[in-house]
Amino acid sequence: PPHPDRIRQLGATALAELSAAAAPVGVRVHFRARAMADIQRACQFLSVRRFCRESALALHRCSQAKETDCQVEQVRFQACSEEMMPDVIRTLMDTAARRCPAEVGDFQRCVRENGGGTSAEEKCESLDLAAMDCAARVVLREGSASWETKAE
């Protein structure tokens, strides 16, 4: 292992990369699965609460009424969610840029160090995932807090 003085010199970003590289594959797979789950939940939250609110409410009302199979409402909500997905992803990216500067900076630095372009972005995918996961956690935390405030 590196000397403790050398570790202090590496800085937070390099230390995180070193830890990730040294982490057992199972730990990295677990992080990826958790991050993807957080991102998926944030996308669902944004779809339901922000971008497809009306169709989500119609589906919710229908499912509460239990009078029909709600297929029409389900199809409308699904279509809205698919149509709005670019806006949902853009919202996560904007949130990451504003609220997760360290993670975004790590990703951008990695892309620059790997020559830029699509190939570099693919090499830096884990850092991109970390930035999106950070944004997802912000969305879920703030969304949950605002929801709890409205419920009181």
PDB file of all heavy atoms in Angstrom, residues 25-53:
ATOM      1  N   VAL A  25     -14.306  -6.459  -6.663  1.00  0.00           N
ATOM      2  CA  VAL A  25     -15.296  -6.338  -7.736  1.00  0.00           C
ATOM      3  C   VAL A  25     -16.709  -6.319  -7.169  1.00  0.00           C
ATOM      4  O   VAL A  25     -17.541  -5.534  -7.600  1.00  0.00           O
ATOM      5  CB  VAL A  25     -15.129  -7.489  -8.759  1.00  0.00           C
ATOM      6  CG1 VAL A  25     -16.265  -7.483  -9.759  1.00  0.00           C
ATOM      7  CG2 VAL A  25     -13.791  -7.370  -9.465  1.00  0.00           C
ATOM      8  N   GLY A  26     -16.972  -7.119  -6.153  1.00  0.00           N
ATOM      9  CA  GLY A  26     -18.306  -7.157  -5.553  1.00  0.00           C
ATOM     10  C   GLY A  26     -18.730  -5.822  -4.993  1.00  0.00           C
ATOM     11  O   GLY A  26     -19.888  -5.428  -5.107  1.00  0.00           O
ATOM     12  N   VAL A  27     -17.790  -5.093  -4.404  1.00  0.00           N
ATOM     13  CA  VAL A  27     -18.097  -3.769  -3.855  1.00  0.00           C
ATOM     14  C   VAL A  27     -18.441  -2.814  -4.994  1.00  0.00           C
ATOM     15  O   VAL A  27     -19.394  -2.049  -4.906  1.00  0.00           O
ATOM     16  CB  VAL A  27     -16.911  -3.232  -3.017  1.00  0.00           C
ATOM     17  CG1 VAL A  27     -17.143  -1.787  -2.614  1.00  0.00           C
ATOM     18  CG2 VAL A  27     -16.704  -4.107  -1.799  1.00  0.00           C
ATOM     19  N   ARG A  28     -17.652  -2.861  -6.082  1.00  0.00           N
ATOM     20  CA  ARG A  28     -17.933  -1.984  -7.216  1.00  0.00           C
ATOM     21  C   ARG A  28     -19.270  -2.330  -7.864  1.00  0.00           C
ATOM     22  O   ARG A  28     -20.021  -1.440  -8.250  1.00  0.00           O
ATOM     23  CB  ARG A  28     -16.805  -2.060  -8.239  1.00  0.00           C
ATOM     24  CG  ARG A  28     -15.571  -1.287  -7.776  1.00  0.00           C
ATOM     25  CD  ARG A  28     -14.476  -1.348  -8.781  1.00  0.00           C
ATOM     26  NE  ARG A  28     -13.725  -2.574  -8.500  1.00  0.00           N
ATOM     27  CZ  ARG A  28     -12.854  -3.111  -9.303  1.00  0.00           C
ATOM     28  NH1 ARG A  28     -12.600  -2.578 -10.453  1.00  0.00           N
ATOM     29  NH2 ARG A  28     -12.207  -4.203  -8.969  1.00  0.00           N
ATOM     30  N   VAL A  29     -19.580  -3.597  -7.964  1.00  0.00           N
ATOM     31  CA  VAL A  29     -20.860  -4.007  -8.547  1.00  0.00           C
ATOM     32  C   VAL A  29     -22.003  -3.544  -7.647  1.00  0.00           C
ATOM     33  O   VAL A  29     -23.023  -3.049  -8.129  1.00  0.00           O
ATOM     34  CB  VAL A  29     -20.892  -5.541  -8.758  1.00  0.00           C
ATOM     35  CG1 VAL A  29     -22.299  -6.014  -9.084  1.00  0.00           C
ATOM     36  CG2 VAL A  29     -19.916  -5.941  -9.847  1.00  0.00           C
ATOM     37  N   HIS A  30     -21.819  -3.657  -6.328  1.00  0.00           N
ATOM     38  CA  HIS A  30     -22.852  -3.207  -5.393  1.00  0.00           C
ATOM     39  C   HIS A  30     -23.083  -1.702  -5.539  1.00  0.00           C
ATOM     40  O   HIS A  30     -24.224  -1.246  -5.579  1.00  0.00           O
ATOM     41  CB  HIS A  30     -22.460  -3.541  -3.954  1.00  0.00           C
ATOM     42  CG  HIS A  30     -23.422  -3.001  -2.944  1.00  0.00           C
ATOM     43  ND1 HIS A  30     -24.681  -3.530  -2.770  1.00  0.00           N
ATOM     44  CD2 HIS A  30     -23.323  -1.961  -2.085  1.00  0.00           C
ATOM     45  CE1 HIS A  30     -25.315  -2.843  -1.845  1.00  0.00           C
ATOM     46  NE2 HIS A  30     -24.515  -1.882  -1.401  1.00  0.00           N
ATOM     47  N   PHE A  31     -21.992  -0.911  -5.624  1.00  0.00           N
ATOM     48  CA  PHE A  31     -22.141   0.531  -5.812  1.00  0.00           C
ATOM     49  C   PHE A  31     -22.913   0.812  -7.090  1.00  0.00           C
ATOM     50  O   PHE A  31     -23.829   1.620  -7.105  1.00  0.00           O
ATOM     51  CB  PHE A  31     -20.772   1.238  -5.878  1.00  0.00           C
ATOM     52  CG  PHE A  31     -20.891   2.639  -6.422  1.00  0.00           C
ATOM     53  CD1 PHE A  31     -21.398   3.662  -5.623  1.00  0.00           C
ATOM     54  CD2 PHE A  31     -20.551   2.924  -7.729  1.00  0.00           C
ATOM     55  CE1 PHE A  31     -21.549   4.949  -6.131  1.00  0.00           C
ATOM     56  CE2 PHE A  31     -20.696   4.201  -8.236  1.00  0.00           C
ATOM     57  CZ  PHE A  31     -21.198   5.222  -7.442  1.00  0.00           C
ATOM     58  N   ARG A  32     -22.549   0.141  -8.169  1.00  0.00           N
ATOM     59  CA  ARG A  32     -23.207   0.365  -9.455  1.00  0.00           C
ATOM     60  C   ARG A  32     -24.702   0.041  -9.359  1.00  0.00           C
ATOM     61  O   ARG A  32     -25.531   0.811  -9.824  1.00  0.00           O
ATOM     62  CB  ARG A  32     -22.537  -0.467 -10.539  1.00  0.00           C
ATOM     63  CG  ARG A  32     -23.108  -0.250 -11.910  1.00  0.00           C
ATOM     64  CD  ARG A  32     -22.327  -1.035 -12.967  1.00  0.00           C
ATOM     65  NE  ARG A  32     -22.885  -0.850 -14.265  1.00  0.00           N
ATOM     66  CZ  ARG A  32     -22.722   0.218 -15.028  1.00  0.00           C
ATOM     67  NH1 ARG A  32     -21.994   1.208 -14.598  1.00  0.00           N
ATOM     68  NH2 ARG A  32     -23.283   0.306 -16.215  1.00  0.00           N
ATOM     69  N   ALA A  33     -25.031  -1.068  -8.725  1.00  0.00           N
ATOM     70  CA  ALA A  33     -26.440  -1.459  -8.604  1.00  0.00           C
ATOM     71  C   ALA A  33     -27.202  -0.445  -7.754  1.00  0.00           C
ATOM     72  O   ALA A  33     -28.322  -0.052  -8.101  1.00  0.00           O
ATOM     73  CB  ALA A  33     -26.550  -2.860  -7.996  1.00  0.00           C
ATOM     74  N   ARG A  34     -26.598  -0.006  -6.635  1.00  0.00           N
ATOM     75  CA  ARG A  34     -27.253   0.976  -5.780  1.00  0.00           C
ATOM     76  C   ARG A  34     -27.416   2.294  -6.517  1.00  0.00           C
ATOM     77  O   ARG A  34     -28.474   2.926  -6.465  1.00  0.00           O
ATOM     78  CB  ARG A  34     -26.463   1.192  -4.484  1.00  0.00           C
ATOM     79  CG  ARG A  34     -27.178   2.142  -3.527  1.00  0.00           C
ATOM     80  CD  ARG A  34     -26.299   2.678  -2.425  1.00  0.00           C
ATOM     81  NE  ARG A  34     -25.073   3.283  -2.860  1.00  0.00           N
ATOM     82  CZ  ARG A  34     -24.964   4.527  -3.367  1.00  0.00           C
ATOM     83  NH1 ARG A  34     -26.032   5.263  -3.541  1.00  0.00           N
ATOM     84  NH2 ARG A  34     -23.795   5.011  -3.722  1.00  0.00           N
ATOM     85  N   ALA A  35     -26.368   2.717  -7.219  1.00  0.00           N
ATOM     86  CA  ALA A  35     -26.428   3.976  -7.958  1.00  0.00           C
ATOM     87  C   ALA A  35     -27.511   3.920  -9.030  1.00  0.00           C
ATOM     88  O   ALA A  35     -28.292   4.867  -9.176  1.00  0.00           O
ATOM     89  CB  ALA A  35     -25.072   4.299  -8.576  1.00  0.00           C
ATOM     90  N   MET A  36     -27.566   2.826  -9.767  1.00  0.00           N
ATOM     91  CA  MET A  36     -28.582   2.700 -10.809  1.00  0.00           C
ATOM     92  C   MET A  36     -29.981   2.715 -10.201  1.00  0.00           C
ATOM     93  O   MET A  36     -30.896   3.311 -10.764  1.00  0.00           O
ATOM     94  CB  MET A  36     -28.355   1.418 -11.624  1.00  0.00           C
ATOM     95  CG  MET A  36     -27.078   1.439 -12.449  1.00  0.00           C
ATOM     96  SD  MET A  36     -26.981   2.799 -13.628  1.00  0.00           S
ATOM     97  CE  MET A  36     -28.139   2.231 -14.852  1.00  0.00           C
ATOM     98  N   ALA A  37     -30.143   2.094  -9.044  1.00  0.00           N
ATOM     99  CA  ALA A  37     -31.454   2.105  -8.385  1.00  0.00           C
ATOM    100  C   ALA A  37     -31.830   3.520  -7.952  1.00  0.00           C
ATOM    101  O   ALA A  37     -32.980   3.945  -8.122  1.00  0.00           O
ATOM    102  CB  ALA A  37     -31.444   1.155  -7.180  1.00  0.00           C
ATOM    103  N   ASP A  38     -30.863   4.267  -7.404  1.00  0.00           N
ATOM    104  CA  ASP A  38     -31.120   5.657  -7.010  1.00  0.00           C
ATOM    105  C   ASP A  38     -31.502   6.502  -8.220  1.00  0.00           C
ATOM    106  O   ASP A  38     -32.429   7.311  -8.162  1.00  0.00           O
ATOM    107  CB  ASP A  38     -29.892   6.278  -6.339  1.00  0.00           C
ATOM    108  CG  ASP A  38     -29.654   5.757  -4.931  1.00  0.00           C
ATOM    109  OD1 ASP A  38     -30.561   5.125  -4.361  1.00  0.00           O
ATOM    110  OD2 ASP A  38     -28.543   5.994  -4.412  1.00  0.00           O
ATOM    111  N   ILE A  39     -30.766   6.327  -9.308  1.00  0.00           N
ATOM    112  CA  ILE A  39     -31.039   7.100 -10.525  1.00  0.00           C
ATOM    113  C   ILE A  39     -32.420   6.762 -11.064  1.00  0.00           C
ATOM    114  O   ILE A  39     -33.187   7.657 -11.441  1.00  0.00           O
ATOM    115  CB  ILE A  39     -29.929   6.869 -11.574  1.00  0.00           C
ATOM    116  CG1 ILE A  39     -28.605   7.463 -11.065  1.00  0.00           C
ATOM    117  CG2 ILE A  39     -30.323   7.463 -12.925  1.00  0.00           C
ATOM    118  CD1 ILE A  39     -27.379   7.021 -11.853  1.00  0.00           C
ATOM    119  N   GLN A  40     -32.760   5.489 -11.066  1.00  0.00           N
ATOM    120  CA  GLN A  40     -34.084   5.077 -11.538  1.00  0.00           C
ATOM    121  C   GLN A  40     -35.188   5.683 -10.666  1.00  0.00           C
ATOM    122  O   GLN A  40     -36.182   6.201 -11.174  1.00  0.00           O
ATOM    123  CB  GLN A  40     -34.197   3.559 -11.552  1.00  0.00           C
ATOM    124  CG  GLN A  40     -35.528   3.069 -12.078  1.00  0.00           C
ATOM    125  CD  GLN A  40     -35.607   1.553 -12.121  1.00  0.00           C
ATOM    126  OE1 GLN A  40     -34.766   0.847 -11.573  1.00  0.00           O
ATOM    127  NE2 GLN A  40     -36.640   1.057 -12.766  1.00  0.00           N
ATOM    128  N   ARG A  41     -34.999   5.642  -9.342  1.00  0.00           N
ATOM    129  CA  ARG A  41     -36.002   6.224  -8.437  1.00  0.00           C
ATOM    130  C   ARG A  41     -36.129   7.730  -8.654  1.00  0.00           C
ATOM    131  O   ARG A  41     -37.235   8.276  -8.621  1.00  0.00           O
ATOM    132  CB  ARG A  41     -35.638   5.913  -6.981  1.00  0.00           C
ATOM    133  CG  ARG A  41     -35.915   4.476  -6.606  1.00  0.00           C
ATOM    134  CD  ARG A  41     -35.570   4.100  -5.167  1.00  0.00           C
ATOM    135  NE  ARG A  41     -35.806   5.128  -4.202  1.00  0.00           N
ATOM    136  CZ  ARG A  41     -34.882   5.577  -3.338  1.00  0.00           C
ATOM    137  NH1 ARG A  41     -33.659   5.085  -3.334  1.00  0.00           N
ATOM    138  NH2 ARG A  41     -35.186   6.514  -2.464  1.00  0.00           N
ATOM    139  N   ALA A  42     -35.010   8.410  -8.876  1.00  0.00           N
ATOM    140  CA  ALA A  42     -35.063   9.857  -9.122  1.00  0.00           C
ATOM    141  C   ALA A  42     -35.769  10.148 -10.439  1.00  0.00           C
ATOM    142  O   ALA A  42     -36.559  11.105 -10.518  1.00  0.00           O
ATOM    143  CB  ALA A  42     -33.649  10.449  -9.127  1.00  0.00           C
ATOM    144  N   CYS A  43     -35.518   9.343 -11.461  1.00  0.00           N
ATOM    145  CA  CYS A  43     -36.215   9.528 -12.742  1.00  0.00           C
ATOM    146  C   CYS A  43     -37.714   9.323 -12.571  1.00  0.00           C
ATOM    147  O   CYS A  43     -38.525  10.098 -13.099  1.00  0.00           O
ATOM    148  CB  CYS A  43     -35.662   8.567 -13.794  1.00  0.00           C
ATOM    149  SG  CYS A  43     -34.014   9.000 -14.395  1.00  0.00           S
ATOM    150  N   GLN A  44     -38.098   8.310 -11.816  1.00  0.00           N
ATOM    151  CA  GLN A  44     -39.513   8.073 -11.555  1.00  0.00           C
ATOM    152  C   GLN A  44     -40.120   9.241 -10.784  1.00  0.00           C
ATOM    153  O   GLN A  44     -41.215   9.711 -11.121  1.00  0.00           O
ATOM    154  CB  GLN A  44     -39.702   6.773 -10.766  1.00  0.00           C
ATOM    155  CG  GLN A  44     -39.401   5.542 -11.568  1.00  0.00           C
ATOM    156  CD  GLN A  44     -39.337   4.286 -10.706  1.00  0.00           C
ATOM    157  OE1 GLN A  44     -39.231   4.344  -9.481  1.00  0.00           O
ATOM    158  NE2 GLN A  44     -39.383   3.141 -11.359  1.00  0.00           N
ATOM    159  N   PHE A  45     -39.396   9.707  -9.771  1.00  0.00           N
ATOM    160  CA  PHE A  45     -39.887  10.828  -8.976  1.00  0.00           C
ATOM    161  C   PHE A  45     -40.104  12.057  -9.853  1.00  0.00           C
ATOM    162  O   PHE A  45     -41.153  12.701  -9.780  1.00  0.00           O
ATOM    163  CB  PHE A  45     -38.900  11.144  -7.840  1.00  0.00           C
ATOM    164  CG  PHE A  45     -39.344  12.291  -6.989  1.00  0.00           C
ATOM    165  CD1 PHE A  45     -40.210  12.085  -5.936  1.00  0.00           C
ATOM    166  CD2 PHE A  45     -38.915  13.580  -7.253  1.00  0.00           C
ATOM    167  CE1 PHE A  45     -40.642  13.145  -5.150  1.00  0.00           C
ATOM    168  CE2 PHE A  45     -39.338  14.645  -6.476  1.00  0.00           C
ATOM    169  CZ  PHE A  45     -40.206  14.431  -5.428  1.00  0.00           C
ATOM    170  N   LEU A  46     -39.112  12.385 -10.689  1.00  0.00           N
ATOM    171  CA  LEU A  46     -39.230  13.556 -11.559  1.00  0.00           C
ATOM    172  C   LEU A  46     -40.368  13.391 -12.559  1.00  0.00           C
ATOM    173  O   LEU A  46     -41.094  14.351 -12.848  1.00  0.00           O
ATOM    174  CB  LEU A  46     -37.909  13.824 -12.284  1.00  0.00           C
ATOM    175  CG  LEU A  46     -36.789  14.363 -11.397  1.00  0.00           C
ATOM    176  CD1 LEU A  46     -35.460  14.321 -12.139  1.00  0.00           C
ATOM    177  CD2 LEU A  46     -37.097  15.767 -10.912  1.00  0.00           C
ATOM    178  N   SER A  47     -40.535  12.184 -13.080  1.00  0.00           N
ATOM    179  CA  SER A  47     -41.635  11.944 -14.020  1.00  0.00           C
ATOM    180  C   SER A  47     -42.982  12.151 -13.349  1.00  0.00           C
ATOM    181  O   SER A  47     -43.856  12.841 -13.878  1.00  0.00           O
ATOM    182  CB  SER A  47     -41.560  10.518 -14.581  1.00  0.00           C
ATOM    183  OG  SER A  47     -40.433  10.375 -15.406  1.00  0.00           O
ATOM    184  N   VAL A  48     -43.141  11.576 -12.168  1.00  0.00           N
ATOM    185  CA  VAL A  48     -44.424  11.635 -11.462  1.00  0.00           C
ATOM    186  C   VAL A  48     -44.717  13.036 -10.931  1.00  0.00           C
ATOM    187  O   VAL A  48     -45.830  13.538 -11.065  1.00  0.00           O
ATOM    188  CB  VAL A  48     -44.451  10.610 -10.311  1.00  0.00           C
ATOM    189  CG1 VAL A  48     -45.640  10.836  -9.389  1.00  0.00           C
ATOM    190  CG2 VAL A  48     -44.470   9.200 -10.868  1.00  0.00           C
ATOM    191  N   ARG A  49     -43.731  13.667 -10.334  1.00  0.00           N
ATOM    192  CA  ARG A  49     -43.965  14.935  -9.637  1.00  0.00           C
ATOM    193  C   ARG A  49     -43.777  16.181 -10.486  1.00  0.00           C
ATOM    194  O   ARG A  49     -44.303  17.236 -10.149  1.00  0.00           O
ATOM    195  CB  ARG A  49     -43.044  15.045  -8.416  1.00  0.00           C
ATOM    196  CG  ARG A  49     -43.260  13.969  -7.421  1.00  0.00           C
ATOM    197  CD  ARG A  49     -44.456  14.271  -6.581  1.00  0.00           C
ATOM    198  NE  ARG A  49     -44.653  13.186  -5.639  1.00  0.00           N
ATOM    199  CZ  ARG A  49     -45.813  12.860  -5.159  1.00  0.00           C
ATOM    200  NH1 ARG A  49     -46.876  13.523  -5.494  1.00  0.00           N
ATOM    201  NH2 ARG A  49     -45.918  11.862  -4.316  1.00  0.00           N
ATOM    202  N   ARG A  50     -43.000  16.078 -11.563  1.00  0.00           N
ATOM    203  CA  ARG A  50     -42.690  17.290 -12.313  1.00  0.00           C
ATOM    204  C   ARG A  50     -43.122  17.253 -13.773  1.00  0.00           C
ATOM    205  O   ARG A  50     -43.762  18.168 -14.254  1.00  0.00           O
ATOM    206  CB  ARG A  50     -41.191  17.562 -12.219  1.00  0.00           C
ATOM    207  CG  ARG A  50     -40.776  18.839 -12.883  1.00  0.00           C
ATOM    208  CD  ARG A  50     -39.360  19.172 -12.549  1.00  0.00           C
ATOM    209  NE  ARG A  50     -38.955  20.388 -13.236  1.00  0.00           N
ATOM    210  CZ  ARG A  50     -37.743  20.853 -13.235  1.00  0.00           C
ATOM    211  NH1 ARG A  50     -36.803  20.210 -12.594  1.00  0.00           N
ATOM    212  NH2 ARG A  50     -37.456  21.945 -13.881  1.00  0.00           N
ATOM    213  N   PHE A  51     -42.762  16.205 -14.485  1.00  0.00           N
ATOM    214  CA  PHE A  51     -42.950  16.219 -15.934  1.00  0.00           C
ATOM    215  C   PHE A  51     -44.252  15.570 -16.399  1.00  0.00           C
ATOM    216  O   PHE A  51     -44.765  15.943 -17.449  1.00  0.00           O
ATOM    217  CB  PHE A  51     -41.749  15.561 -16.631  1.00  0.00           C
ATOM    218  CG  PHE A  51     -40.489  16.368 -16.493  1.00  0.00           C
ATOM    219  CD1 PHE A  51     -39.522  16.021 -15.567  1.00  0.00           C
ATOM    220  CD2 PHE A  51     -40.289  17.497 -17.263  1.00  0.00           C
ATOM    221  CE1 PHE A  51     -38.367  16.772 -15.427  1.00  0.00           C
ATOM    222  CE2 PHE A  51     -39.137  18.262 -17.128  1.00  0.00           C
ATOM    223  CZ  PHE A  51     -38.174  17.901 -16.205  1.00  0.00           C
ATOM    224  N   CYS A  52     -44.758  14.616 -15.678  1.00  0.00           N
ATOM    225  CA  CYS A  52     -45.987  13.913 -16.086  1.00  0.00           C
ATOM    226  C   CYS A  52     -46.998  13.913 -14.944  1.00  0.00           C
ATOM    227  O   CYS A  52     -47.703  12.933 -14.701  1.00  0.00           O
ATOM    228  CB  CYS A  52     -45.656  12.481 -16.501  1.00  0.00           C
ATOM    229  SG  CYS A  52     -44.515  12.374 -17.882  1.00  0.00           S
ATOM    230  N   ARG A  53     -47.079  15.006 -14.264  1.00  0.00           N
ATOM    231  CA  ARG A  53     -47.903  15.107 -13.064  1.00  0.00           C
ATOM    232  C   ARG A  53     -49.381  14.780 -13.332  1.00  0.00           C
ATOM    233  O   ARG A  53     -49.997  14.023 -12.585  1.00  0.00           O
ATOM    234  CB  ARG A  53     -47.754  16.507 -12.476  1.00  0.00           C
ATOM    235  CG  ARG A  53     -48.342  16.654 -11.102  1.00  0.00           C
ATOM    236  CD  ARG A  53     -48.056  18.047 -10.535  1.00  0.00           C
ATOM    237  NE  ARG A  53     -48.471  18.119  -9.173  1.00  0.00           N
ATOM    238  CZ  ARG A  53     -47.664  17.982  -8.140  1.00  0.00           C
ATOM    239  NH1 ARG A  53     -46.384  17.802  -8.334  1.00  0.00           N
ATOM    240  NH2 ARG A  53     -48.117  18.039  -6.916  1.00  0.00           N
TER     241      ARG A  53
END
